[in-house]
Amino acid sequence: MHEQMFRSDGQSDGEAPVFSFQASLDEVEKLAYQLKEEAERTERPIRRLSKVMYGSTCADMQVDVMGECLSSIKHVVGTTSGCFYPRSNDSEKLEEGRSVTSVAAEFGIAHSIVSRLWRQFQTTGTAIRGFSSGRPRGTTPADDRYIDLQARRNRRQAAGEIASHTTQAIGRPISRFTVARRLHGGGLLARRPVRCVPLTPAHRRRRSLWCREHWNWRDNEWRRVLFTDESRFSLSSDSHRILIWRERGSCNHPSNIIERDRYGGRGVLVWGGIMLGSRTDLHIFDVFFFSQRDRYCNEILLSYVRLFRGAMDLQFLFMHDNAPCHGTVAAEQLLESEDIERMDWPARSPDLNPIEHVWDFLGRRLAARTLPPVTIRELRLALQDEWAAMPQQLIDTLILSMGRRCETCLAVRGDHIPY
């Protein structure tokens, strides 16, 4: 064991430069407390390394490591662990301690870092590593506000276009990646816009008037209404409802491809009606029926609507979406002759019609099938099965949301609502 004392500058009389220090256990605990306190204050992953030698023979050392997860300080204590001794010979080093190189290899850091931290502790009494400010930001807060304002004024601009305009405005080059990061930091994300039918000021006024008349309807009043609509289902249209698991870079593998016609391909047109506590059968047209408008009267009004009108007597209220085939002279005369009261529905208002969510439910159920239909006959059978299996509670919940739909539409003054 060494009995020779070393000077504070790390050199002894007649010996090569070495690292040595004597500290009490109280100093070790104080250093550990300082490291832990700063780690909690910064609240981010910190890596700390402090090396303290203590004891009369300098045989022990305590190493404090603040890991990536702000873990508690680990103590490495032993007669041959982590202290710095004169590099006189290998046997003495193995017997009494380790060199700077061995400690650096243990923690996977550079030799210079360990040496610098040890010298820092000898000088200041602490081995806390400071944080650098990192790469300077390429934009000022004023530039960030300008980028955010440009995106909000024209939400269809690409990040490259905003970067070009910002570069011209501030006189410094700004990349599109910087623009994207600033917009993300401001809460703006690139997303597909929602597709809705176009609305004119007249449409908005009509929607607001209708919602003002019906926002306070009670459940027994909505129970009178039969909501009806038509929809088309295609064999090759999945509406992006199917997700797959695939490896990176294998998007064009045959198992990861879904073939779909550009314009929908073959399909069927269906009609249905829903109301609180009940629903009509799903009617599937053999061919496209809008070219023969009398078929709407024969196959829909007489076969379904008239039966519901007879079951509910004068309380029945029939709703349709003002499609051209619904407003023919023959259809209006039939409704009048059968004494069927029609609800005055605002034009271009699919977001107010709860049956639109029923069609979306059917589409999702078809897309979720293990074996999707590949022929028209299979498609017809699948639609009938899914319509019959649809829970009535779903339909009732959609109809009972009409009050909230009306309130939301009034709040946006007849504009599109998120339904």
Side-chain angles (χ1 to χ4, degrees):
M1 303 297 292
H2 287 275
E3 296 180 357
Q4 182 181 12
M5 300 301 296
F6 295 94
R7 298 199 305 268
S8 61
D9 59 357
Q11 298 187 19
S12 63
D13 296 336
E15 295 290 341
V18 295
F19 295 101
S20 178
F21 191 76
Q22 292 185 351
S24 65
L25 183 61
D26 293 338
E27 292 176 342
V28 175
E29 294 177 351
K30 180 179 179 181
L31 176 60
Y33 177 79
Q34 292 175 354
L35 289 171
K36 186 175 181 180
E37 185 180 33
E38 175 154 340
E40 294 176 351
R41 182 173 67 252
T42 56
E43 295 183 357
R44 58 180 175 177
I46 302 175
R47 181 172 180 86
R48 290 292 184 265
L49 178 64
S50 67
K51 300 165 182 63
V52 179
M53 297 163 48
Y54 63 96
S56 59
T57 61
C58 297
D60 297 332
M61 174 181 177
Q62 181 164 318
V63 178
D64 302 338
V65 177
M66 302 305 294
E68 293 295 328
C69 59
L70 302 181
S71 60
S72 60
I73 297 179
K74 300 178 181 179
H75 301 284
V76 182
V77 181
T79 58
T80 61
S81 61
C83 85
F84 302 100
Y85 284 92
R87 302 182 185 181
S88 57
N89 54 64
D90 293 340
S91 62
E92 187 175 277
K93 178 169 56 177
L94 293 175
E95 177 184 357
E96 297 180 353
R98 296 164 56 184
S99 64
V100 174
T101 304
S102 64
V103 175
E106 177 183 348
F107 292 98
I109 57 180
H111 178 282
S112 60
I113 294 178
V114 177
S115 178
R116 184 171 62 252
L117 288 175
W118 177 243
R119 289 197 303 268
Q120 179 185 353
F121 181 79
Q122 287 181 307
T123 304
T124 64
T126 179
I128 297 178
R129 182 182 178 184
F131 288 99
S132 62
S133 60
R135 182 180 179 181
R137 288 171 62 92
T139 59
T140 64
D143 299 338
D144 297 343
R145 290 192 297 270
Y146 180 83
I147 292 173
D148 185 83
L149 183 62
Q150 288 291 319
R152 295 182 185 276
R153 284 180 175 176
N154 185 2
R155 296 180 181 267
R156 298 186 179 183
Q157 284 189 103
E161 298 177 358
I162 299 178
S164 177
H165 296 162
T166 306
T167 299
Q168 295 177 1
I170 67 178
R172 297 190 308 275
I174 301 296
S175 69
R176 61 185 180 90
F177 302 104
T178 300
V179 170
R181 287 194 297 269
R182 300 299 180 266
L183 294 180
H184 292 171
L188 294 178
L189 304 176
R191 294 293 184 268
R192 291 188 180 92
V194 179
R195 294 185 178 182
C196 298
V197 296
L199 294 176
T200 64
H203 292 145
R204 294 182 174 88
R205 287 193 300 268
R206 184 68 188 89
R207 283 161 56 91
S208 297
L209 290 175
W210 188 91
C211 292
R212 192 173 293 112
E213 295 174 0
H214 297 85
W215 73 270
N216 58 351
W217 272 28
R218 298 182 179 179
D219 294 351
N220 59 343
E221 293 177 287
W222 290 115
R223 193 178 299 274
R224 303 168 46 204
V225 184
L226 175 67
F227 295 91
T228 66
D229 193 22
E230 299 85 15
S231 183
R232 189 177 187 275
F233 293 88
S234 174
L235 287 173
S236 58
S237 176
D238 59 5
S239 300
H240 304 284
R241 293 187 178 101
I242 297 178
L243 301 179
I244 62 172
W245 297 103
R246 65 173 178 85
E247 298 82 3
R248 185 184 298 273
S250 63
C251 59
N252 291 324
H253 191 273
S255 62
N256 300 329
I257 294 177
I258 297 178
E259 296 180 346
R260 187 176 73 90
D261 290 326
R262 184 181 181 88
Y263 299 103
R266 295 187 304 162
V268 295
L269 185 71
V270 302
W271 176 95
I274 60 173
M275 62 189 315
L276 280 176
S278 183
R279 77 189 85 172
T280 67
D281 294 334
L282 185 67
H283 184 80
I284 302 178
F285 297 95
D286 295 330
V287 294
F288 198 66
F289 86 106
F290 284 109
S291 59
Q292 303 176 9
R293 298 182 178 181
D294 292 340
R295 295 184 59 188
Y296 177 72
C297 299
N298 298 329
E299 299 184 22
I300 302 300
L301 296 181
L302 294 177
S303 301
Y304 298 98
V305 179
R306 184 172 61 175
L307 294 180
F308 271 77
R309 161 65 177 81
M312 298 189 62
D313 201 19
L314 296 177
Q315 296 182 352
F316 180 73
L317 193 59
F318 175 57
M319 172 267 161
H320 63 71
D321 60 357
N322 301 313
C325 64
H326 300 161
T328 61
V329 176
E332 294 292 342
Q333 291 177 352
L334 180 58
L335 293 177
E336 184 178 356
S337 62
E338 296 294 338
D339 198 16
I340 298 176
E341 183 180 359
R342 183 177 63 85
M343 172 177 277
D344 187 16
W345 186 259
R348 304 217 168 190
S349 300
D351 49 354
L352 293 175
N353 194 351
I355 200 173
E356 295 291 343
H357 294 271
V358 173
W359 302 137
D360 182 72
F361 175 83
L362 287 181
R364 292 180 184 274
R365 294 299 301 170
L366 289 177
R369 287 198 161 210
T370 306
L371 298 176
V374 294
T375 63
I376 294 296
R377 181 176 179 277
E378 293 179 358
L379 179 60
R380 292 167 63 95
L381 294 176
L383 286 171
Q384 295 284 5
D385 293 341
E386 296 298 344
W387 177 268
M390 182 172 52
Q392 182 62 38
Q393 183 180 0
L394 171 66
I395 297 176
D396 296 344
T397 302
L398 292 173
I399 296 178
L400 293 178
S401 68
M402 287 300 300
R404 296 191 300 272
R405 295 172 189 249
C406 293
E407 292 177 356
T408 306
C409 188
L410 288 174
V412 296
R413 299 182 180 181
D415 212 338
H416 300 288
I417 60 176
Y419 279 92

